Amino acid sequence: MKMEKKIKSFMDEVRQRNVHEPEFLQAVQEVAETVIPYIASQKIYDGKNLLLRMVEPERAITFRVPWVDDQGEIRVNRGYRIQMNSAIGPYKGGLRFHPSVTMSILKFLAFEQVFKNSLTTLPMGGGKGGADFDPKGKSDGEIMRFCHSFMTEFFRYIGPNTDVPAGDIGVGSREIGYLFGMYRKIKNEFTGVLTGKGLSWGGSLIRPEATGYGTIYFAVSMLATQNKSFDQKLVALSGSGNVAQFAAEKAIQLGAKVITLSDSSGYIYDREGITKDKLAYVMQLKNVERGRIDAYVTKYPTAKFYKNKTPWNEICDIALPCATQNELTGDDAKKLIKNGCICVCEGANMPSTPEAITAFREAKILFAPGKASNAGGVATSGLEMTQNSLRFNWSRNEVDEKLKQIMSDIHTACLKYGIEKDGYINYVKGANIAGFVKVADAMLAQGVI
């Protein structure tokens, strides 16, 4: 009861300062419930208000982004950057261009990024940014003008040793190219200030695949604790963007049968399985044609499309939520458990609601939070930063092996702090504490700053 009061008192203080930021409060609550009891048990951390310092951004930036559309009309969007914590390295985290972008969402993502980057063991702090701009339906010219305008203000706050952004939802290689081009022009320098760049101008092999591949590598380690594998398993996947595409690709390579993909319009179910050739069609549809997932059933009529639905009704062995935050609810979790799902591994950031996480924990099924299982993307971004500093490129196999090792090390760190008395592996607890310890030690060493 005393610990519950301690957690409540902490959350009351955080809530008072961030009253209109539900996503951020949700992320902090999930961390507080596991980290505060650990802090209380360690004299070195107790009484230092380390978590309270971690939840307050070092810097929160907003700025105006005016741009001209193809009709000559001046549009205005709002740009953001949350520089959350730089105790272990320069701020690192993606840029998201989407109408849903708010300060609350970016603070939650930045807070999660601090723990995620710590888990990779690479020297990267946590940050996140973006704009409430929607790339959908925009021409290449409009996107270029928006990106250039965004960077004319954003360049003031970033640098290879200060803050190194990457892509996220709505920000792919095209957008990174436009952003980098303007940065290079303004600063008159070619540096590794952005990751996710093209291979011909400083990018890293495996970077596009890294988040999806890393999610699967982490799930492989989870399944191995029960002497299981992906072979012959039914996999339900949400999303159809970069993360979902490459998670599906790697799962197929490992012998699994992927049966679903989705986007904001609904999901497709292919009982015959999404093969390598079918996945290639999805990549063409989403990456080149910028189409909607329902076109899949026109190409493959034996599949079904379910409008405005998520895929968690389907019978599966492994569920990989790779779309967006809070997409998998408590009711969805109960359906997955009832249908025999044995493993849920998050490819997106906080896609499972607190009710869903509770249901998975009570059912004692394998569950990995995104801060651990989807860290492969930022890990490979960190490897890209290293290659940029060295003016050198590793081979595809070298980067992939480094990625596998990082995901294995993250899994080991989760085991160190997450095994409970009954033997159940609480990956949420393990990831939160492992991520906290490295950042907390750095903050203690550097004093009250």
Side-chain angles (χ1 to χ4, degrees), residues 279-353:
L279 184 59
Y281 166 74
V282 172
M283 290 180 173
Q284 171 72 19
L285 173 69
K286 302 301 289 189
N287 303 344
V288 180
E289 299 173 17
R290 312 281 176 182
R292 310 301 287 159
I293 198 65
D294 60 352
Y296 183 95
V297 299
T298 303
K299 177 76 171 176
Y300 303 105
T302 57
K304 295 181 180 179
F305 173 70
Y306 296 90
K307 188 175 181 180
N308 299 326
K309 302 284 186 181
T310 55
W312 313 124
N313 283 319
E314 303 298 342
I315 294 173
C316 65
D317 302 301
I318 299 167
L320 303 174
C322 297
T324 190
Q325 66 268 7
N326 291 326
E327 59 166 299
L328 200 162
T329 67
D331 288 341
D332 293 331
K334 291 172 184 174
K335 291 171 188 172
L336 285 169
I337 294 163
K338 183 180 178 182
N339 286 334
C341 181
I342 61 170
C343 176
V344 179
C345 193
E346 294 186 338
N349 291 302
M350 204 170 73
S352 305
T353 65

Side-chain angles (χ1 to χ4, degrees), residues 374-433:
N374 77 15
V378 73
T380 307
S381 284
L383 297 177
E384 182 177 329
M385 291 167 63
T386 301
Q387 292 171 84
N388 291 165
S389 297
L390 295 171
R391 296 287 195 267
F392 181 78
N393 280 85
W394 290 313
S395 70
R396 180 182 178 86
N397 285 340
E398 285 175 314
V399 178
D400 197 25
E401 286 303 313
K402 291 178 191 297
L403 173 61
K404 286 179 184 176
Q405 187 60 54
I406 288 170
M407 298 312 296
S408 176
D409 291 344
I410 294 172
H411 185 264
T412 300
C414 291
L415 292 183
K416 179 178 178 180
Y417 295 103
I419 298 178
E420 299 189 332
K421 291 179 180 178
D422 62 358
Y424 175 68
I425 303 170
N426 187 335
Y427 285 97
V428 174
K429 176 183 175 182
N432 287 341
I433 295 174

Side-chain angles (χ1 to χ4, degrees), residues 54-68:
M54 285 184 193
V55 302
E56 195 65 30
E58 292 176 4
R59 199 170 291 106
I61 302 155
T62 64
F63 52 94
R64 182 180 63 195
V65 187
W67 58 282
V68 181

Side-chain angles (χ1 to χ4, degrees), residues 10-21:
F10 171 82
M11 286 306 304
D12 285 345
E13 184 170 353
V14 176
R15 195 170 287 109
Q16 187 176 5
R17 292 180 176 178
N18 307 278
V19 65
H20 299 303
E21 298 174 353

Side-chain angles (χ1 to χ4, degrees), residues 93-106:
L95 295 172
R96 176 175 294 193
F97 291 170
H98 194 272
S100 67
V101 166
T102 62
M103 186 68 79
S104 175
I105 286 176
L106 292 179

Side-chain angles (χ1 to χ4, degrees), residues 57-64 78-83 91 103 106 128-130 153-154 156-158 163:
E58 292 176 4
R59 199 170 291 106
I61 302 155
T62 64
F63 52 94
R64 182 180 63 195
R78 183 174 291 171
Y80 301 89
R81 188 63 174 176
I82 308 298
Q83 295 177 332
Y91 307 106
M103 186 68 79
L106 292 179
K128 206 77 178 184
E153 177 63 25
F154 190 49
R156 306 171 196 278
Y157 312 108
I158 62 176
D163 186 343

